[in-house]
Short mmCIF file of all heavy atoms in Angstrom, two decimals:
data_model
loop_
_atom_site.label_atom_id
_atom_site.label_comp_id
_atom_site.label_asym_id
_atom_site.label_seq_id
_atom_site.Cartn_x
_atom_site.Cartn_y
_atom_site.Cartn_z
N SER E 71 228.00 148.53 138.71
CA SER E 71 228.95 148.60 137.61
C SER E 71 228.59 149.78 136.72
O SER E 71 227.53 150.39 136.87
CB SER E 71 228.96 147.29 136.81
OG SER E 71 227.69 147.06 136.22
N ARG E 72 229.49 150.09 135.80
CA ARG E 72 229.22 151.17 134.86
C ARG E 72 229.94 150.90 133.55
O ARG E 72 231.00 150.26 133.53
CB ARG E 72 229.62 152.52 135.44
CG ARG E 72 231.08 152.67 135.75
CD ARG E 72 231.35 153.96 136.53
NE ARG E 72 231.06 155.15 135.74
CZ ARG E 72 230.95 156.37 136.28
NH1 ARG E 72 231.08 156.54 137.58
NH2 ARG E 72 230.70 157.42 135.50
N ASP E 73 229.36 151.42 132.49
CA ASP E 73 229.96 151.33 131.16
C ASP E 73 230.01 152.75 130.63
O ASP E 73 229.01 153.27 130.11
CB ASP E 73 229.12 150.41 130.26
CG ASP E 73 229.72 150.21 128.90
OD1 ASP E 73 230.58 151.02 128.50
OD2 ASP E 73 229.35 149.25 128.22
N ASN E 74 231.15 153.38 130.75
CA ASN E 74 231.26 154.79 130.35
C ASN E 74 231.08 154.98 128.84
O ASN E 74 230.66 156.04 128.40
CB ASN E 74 232.59 155.37 130.81
CG ASN E 74 232.63 155.59 132.32
OD1 ASN E 74 231.58 155.68 132.98
ND2 ASN E 74 233.82 155.68 132.88
N ALA E 75 231.41 153.96 128.08
CA ALA E 75 231.21 154.06 126.62
C ALA E 75 229.73 154.16 126.29
O ALA E 75 229.35 154.74 125.26
CB ALA E 75 231.83 152.86 125.93
N LYS E 76 228.88 153.58 127.15
CA LYS E 76 227.43 153.63 126.95
C LYS E 76 226.76 154.66 127.85
O LYS E 76 225.53 154.77 127.87
CB LYS E 76 226.81 152.25 127.21
CG LYS E 76 227.27 151.18 126.24
CD LYS E 76 226.58 149.86 126.53
CE LYS E 76 227.00 148.80 125.52
NZ LYS E 76 226.34 147.49 125.78
N ASN E 77 227.57 155.39 128.63
CA ASN E 77 227.02 156.40 129.55
C ASN E 77 225.95 155.81 130.47
O ASN E 77 224.94 156.46 130.76
CB ASN E 77 226.43 157.58 128.77
CG ASN E 77 227.48 158.38 128.05
OD1 ASN E 77 228.63 158.46 128.48
ND2 ASN E 77 227.12 158.96 126.92
N THR E 78 226.20 154.62 130.94
CA THR E 78 225.20 153.91 131.73
C THR E 78 225.83 153.24 132.93
O THR E 78 226.93 152.68 132.82
CB THR E 78 224.47 152.87 130.87
OG1 THR E 78 223.89 153.51 129.73
CG2 THR E 78 223.37 152.18 131.67
N ALA E 79 225.14 153.31 134.04
CA ALA E 79 225.51 152.58 135.24
C ALA E 79 224.42 151.54 135.53
O ALA E 79 223.28 151.70 135.11
CB ALA E 79 225.66 153.53 136.42
N TYR E 80 224.81 150.52 136.28
CA TYR E 80 223.89 149.41 136.54
C TYR E 80 223.93 149.06 138.03
O TYR E 80 224.93 149.25 138.72
CB TYR E 80 224.30 148.18 135.73
CG TYR E 80 224.40 148.43 134.25
CD1 TYR E 80 225.63 148.73 133.67
CD2 TYR E 80 223.27 148.40 133.44
CE1 TYR E 80 225.73 148.97 132.31
CE2 TYR E 80 223.37 148.64 132.08
CZ TYR E 80 224.60 148.93 131.52
OH TYR E 80 224.70 149.17 130.17
N LEU E 81 222.83 148.48 138.47
CA LEU E 81 222.77 147.89 139.80
C LEU E 81 222.10 146.53 139.65
O LEU E 81 220.90 146.45 139.42
CB LEU E 81 222.01 148.77 140.79
CG LEU E 81 221.99 148.24 142.22
CD1 LEU E 81 223.40 148.30 142.82
CD2 LEU E 81 221.02 149.05 143.10
N GLN E 82 222.91 145.48 139.73
CA GLN E 82 222.38 144.12 139.70
C GLN E 82 221.99 143.72 141.11
O GLN E 82 222.84 143.74 142.02
CB GLN E 82 223.44 143.16 139.15
CG GLN E 82 222.99 141.71 139.13
CD GLN E 82 221.86 141.46 138.14
OE1 GLN E 82 221.87 141.95 137.02
NE2 GLN E 82 220.88 140.68 138.57
N MET E 83 220.73 143.38 141.29
CA MET E 83 220.22 143.05 142.62
C MET E 83 219.77 141.60 142.63
O MET E 83 218.83 141.23 141.90
CB MET E 83 219.05 143.98 142.97
CG MET E 83 219.41 145.45 142.88
SD MET E 83 218.09 146.53 143.46
CE MET E 83 216.83 146.19 142.25
N ASN E 84 220.43 140.79 143.43
CA ASN E 84 220.09 139.37 143.57
C ASN E 84 219.61 139.08 144.98
O ASN E 84 219.84 139.87 145.90
CB ASN E 84 221.32 138.52 143.24
CG ASN E 84 221.81 138.70 141.82
OD1 ASN E 84 221.03 138.98 140.90
ND2 ASN E 84 223.11 138.55 141.62
N SER E 85 219.00 137.93 145.15
CA SER E 85 218.51 137.50 146.47
C SER E 85 217.71 138.62 147.14
O SER E 85 217.93 138.93 148.32
CB SER E 85 219.69 137.08 147.35
OG SER E 85 220.43 136.04 146.74
#
Side-chain angles (χ1 to χ4, degrees):
S71 62
R72 62 189 295 165
D73 183 341
N74 287 340
K76 296 182 178 180
N77 293 330
T78 303
Y80 305 96
L81 184 67
Q82 178 67 44
M83 305 186 295
N84 299 329
S85 302

